[in-house]
Amino acid sequence: MALSLKDLGLVDQAFDTSGSYIMALDCGTTSVRALIIDSYGCVVAQASRALKTVYPQSGWVEQDPIEILASQIAVMMEVQFKSGIHSDSIAALGITNQRETTVVWDRDSGQPIYNAIGWQCRRTAPLAQQLIDEGYEKLVRSKTGLTPDAYFSATKIAWILDNVSGARELAESGQLLFGTIDTWLIFNLTGGRVFATDYTNASRTMLFNIHTLDWDNDLLKLLNIPRRMLPEVRWSSGEFGCVSSDIMTHRPRITGVAGDQQASLFGHCCFEPGQAKNTYGTGCFLLMNTGDTVVESQNGLLATIGIAESGKVSYALEGSIFHAGSVIQWLRDKLQIIGSAEETAAVAQTHPNNGGCYMVPAFSGLGAPWWDAEARGLISGLTGASDRATLVRAACESMAYQSYDVLRAMETDVGTKLDSLSVDGGASRNDFIMQFQADLLQIPVKQTESVETTALGAAYLAGLAVGYWEDHEELRQNHDIAKWFMPSMSDKERQRNLDGWHDAVARARSSRS
């Protein structure tokens, strides 16, 4: 007698497969996932696999594009098997991805010519600084909303063309293709039929003009990057081809694509100007919808495309923090002082305060609002009484301090104060961090019911394109708040904490490797 999936222990409950669902692919920095989402915005099944990251030299960050692709396809298969929901019940597929990470591959063979250079990689910092020194910062900012930095894709492409043997000649002959991770997945999932990205991912390359909504010839010339390498740019909610039949038998359409932070903004239903969210993932990313206005930051933040659907672009102001959840991973994997991220809240609270200890996790420089590529990680204020819990608390607090700096800079740029902050990401489930964040900001922090807001945003974009959901109002009905964190820290303690943090940041910025 054949055993059912439930008999085999592969599902916790029997799923109703009579209806249809959206599949969301969440291709992150440390893992890839496939999620099946229903019409209420609930995750009914998911599968995940960890990704390896390699560090060939100090400040260099790479991943294997083939591993990323193979792992993503594997979890697409696994989630169907686990749930019993197969491709004939998938109405559409959405993709969200780590942004800026750069892949260059051969047009014919489909093989990458080098590892994917990760968004955290700092190897091209000298080239970015050269652009600034030669007076191109204003040009770059006026066209892209970004500031020249190794964080973005453009300098990574230039590095590959200049450092991989024969790459430049192949690129100029039209043989090489560039893509961020979304493009790499789309190209392969469609069997090479579609070479495209969306506006949100394009806006993070430092090659895309966010005003004209096109690749910018001046910037391509400046960095000596052939235009023919670049993918077609499409709306985030729209047609990106069908998945090949050898991957999913019934070939669902890919109809939603967005960079992870923009997908999160959409998943939070931040459709109106002034609405903001913060995602606590590998890094920390705070985005505010600024509507039709491109806000030129005076405080180290970036203008970017936030939402691109229904034929309309909404811009956003963004602050990017390079290391947030990755600090907890560092405690677990490198220092080996914790067994899991889940235990950090309880460990941190074994001390009544931080004891004057601060951790600045500038493992690869500092992002917004400092943008200091030369800053290095630092732990200050250690005493003979410092212990494991001291370090864990300092690591947890560092996420809230960095987010505080970004939010205050953002409020200054737009000239308004936020009345609350919506949060998601793994660390948003750490009640200690969320309470500390509310205390620093002196505003309520609202924790969404679903931690999967990024994947939900990709699903929403895909579903809107095929009529699975009718409009934004229907999406808002799915947006539930699980918990509110209200500020309770005294002004004196809050200021003492902030003064200690900013002193530690100043020390990290003055340090050199």
Side-chain angles (χ1 to χ4, degrees), residues 399-413:
M399 298 187 211
Y401 286 126
Q402 291 178 97
S403 297
Y404 170 90
D405 287 340
V406 169
L407 182 61
R408 288 293 178 251
M410 188 172 286
E411 290 177 332
T412 300
D413 281 330

Side-chain angles (χ1 to χ4, degrees), residues 128-129 131-132 136-138 140-141 146-150 152 206:
Q129 187 60 49
L131 293 174
I132 294 173
Y136 291 111
E137 182 174 14
K138 185 176 180 180
V140 171
R141 182 175 284 276
L146 313 176
T147 191
D149 193 85
F152 307 110
M206 213 175 79

Side-chain angles (χ1 to χ4, degrees), residues 472-484:
H472 289 176
E473 185 55 39
E474 188 175 357
L475 302 183
R476 287 190 183 98
Q477 295 174 11
N478 292 340
H479 191 63
D480 296 323
I481 304 303
K483 188 183 295 186
W484 289 82

Side-chain angles (χ1 to χ4, degrees), residues 300-467:
L301 305 183
L302 306 173
T304 193
I305 293 177
I307 298 173
E309 57 105 19
S310 298
K312 178 188 174 185
V313 162
S314 292
Y315 296 98
L317 197 60
E318 174 172 338
S320 305
I321 296 164
F322 295 154
H323 292 282
S326 58
V327 183
I328 304 302
Q329 186 178 23
W330 178 71
L331 293 182
R332 183 193 67 200
D333 299 342
K334 298 296 185 181
L335 298 191
Q336 299 182 353
I337 62 173
I338 59 171
S340 68
E342 288 72 26
E343 69 187 74
T344 56
V347 173
Q349 292 178 89
T350 59
H351 288 328
N353 55 58
N354 61 26
C357 181
Y358 298 87
M359 181 183 296
V360 182
F363 298 150
S364 52
L366 285 170
W370 313 109
W371 291 108
D372 187 343
E374 299 301 319
R376 288 296 177 263
L378 175 147
I379 301 173
S380 67
L382 292 174
T383 69
S386 299
D387 58 11
R388 166 178 172 262
T390 304
L391 294 181
V392 171
R393 183 174 181 123
C396 289
E397 288 187 356
S398 73
M399 298 187 211
Y401 286 126
Q402 291 178 97
S403 297
Y404 170 90
D405 287 340
V406 169
L407 182 61
R408 288 293 178 251
M410 188 172 286
E411 290 177 332
T412 300
D413 281 330
V414 299
T416 60
K417 293 282 187 180
L418 278 182
D419 57 8
S420 64
L421 180 65
S422 186
V423 300
D424 72 323
S428 72
R429 277 346 196 217
N430 184 311
D431 286 1
F432 169 78
I433 297 173
M434 293 302 100
Q435 182 59 54
F436 195 71
Q437 188 73 85
D439 288 338
L440 291 182
L441 293 173
Q442 296 182 301
I443 60 173
V445 169
K446 49 185 181 179
Q447 183 188 78
T448 56
E449 185 70 38
S450 174
V451 73
E452 306 296 350
T453 316
T454 300
L456 195 57
Y460 282 167
L461 289 165
L464 286 171
V466 298

Side-chain angles (χ1 to χ4, degrees), residues 117-133:
I117 299 181
W119 58 273
Q120 295 165 307
C121 187
R122 305 304 299 171
R123 78 184 66 188
T124 60
L127 176 54
Q129 187 60 49
Q130 181 183 333
L131 293 174
I132 294 173
D133 294 343

